[in-house]
């Protein structure tokens, strides 16, 4: 899983690095990033390694791919439960679901 900063900040990985960009409040953003990372990692049985989380004012955008709609719903719900997140932009792709709809 990768956590990116808002457009005016560089990307931040989950390897314990601290944001050094020019975000509105890097300390608050770092805390939010940490809480989101923990929430997604706590999704038992879901491989979140292909999820990219972009921090935006008041929320996050989730991008990447997962294997099922249930996984997708669980990840979105987990992000929504994080204190400080007021919205989640869901851009997660579920390839098997997409091909089944054709």
């Amino acid at each position: 899983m990768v956590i990116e900063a808002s457009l005016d900040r560089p990307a931040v990985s989950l390897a314990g690095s601290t944001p050094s960009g020019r975000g509105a409040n890097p300390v608050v953003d770092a805390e939010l990033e940490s809480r989101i990372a923990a929430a997604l990692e706590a999704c038992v049985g879901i491989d979140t390694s292909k999820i990219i989380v972009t921090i935006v004012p008041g929320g996050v955008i989730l991008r990447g791919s997962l294997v099922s709609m249930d996984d997708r719903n669980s990840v979105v719900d987990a992000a929504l439960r994080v204190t400080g997140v007021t919205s989640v932009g869901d851009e997660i792709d579920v390839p098997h679901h997409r091909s089944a709809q054709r």
Side-chain angles (χ1 to χ4, degrees):
M1 171 182 8
V2 173
I3 295 189
E4 294 181 336
S6 59
L7 296 176
D8 62 341
R9 291 196 19 225
V12 176
S13 74
L14 296 180
S17 60
T18 307
S20 58
R22 302 172 321 205
N25 190 337
V27 173
V28 171
D29 288 351
E31 292 170 1
L32 182 60
E33 291 164 355
S34 178
R35 288 194 304 268
I36 292 168
L40 298 188
E41 289 170 358
C43 292
V44 177
I46 300 175
D47 178 9
T48 59
S49 65
K50 295 180 182 175
I51 299 299
I52 298 170
V53 180
T54 304
I55 306 294
V56 296
V60 298
I61 298 171
L62 303 177
R63 294 183 181 96
S65 64
L66 292 169
V67 298
S68 74
M69 291 301 291
D70 287 341
D71 288 358
R72 178 180 175 179
N73 293 337
S74 293
V75 168
V76 170
D77 289 345
L80 278 169
R81 287 192 301 269
V82 172
T83 301
V85 173
T86 58
S87 66
V88 173
D90 176 7
E91 297 180 10
I92 298 172
D93 186 37
V94 181
H96 298 293
H97 179 73
R98 183 174 18 110
S99 63
Q101 289 182 328
R102 292 181 184 175

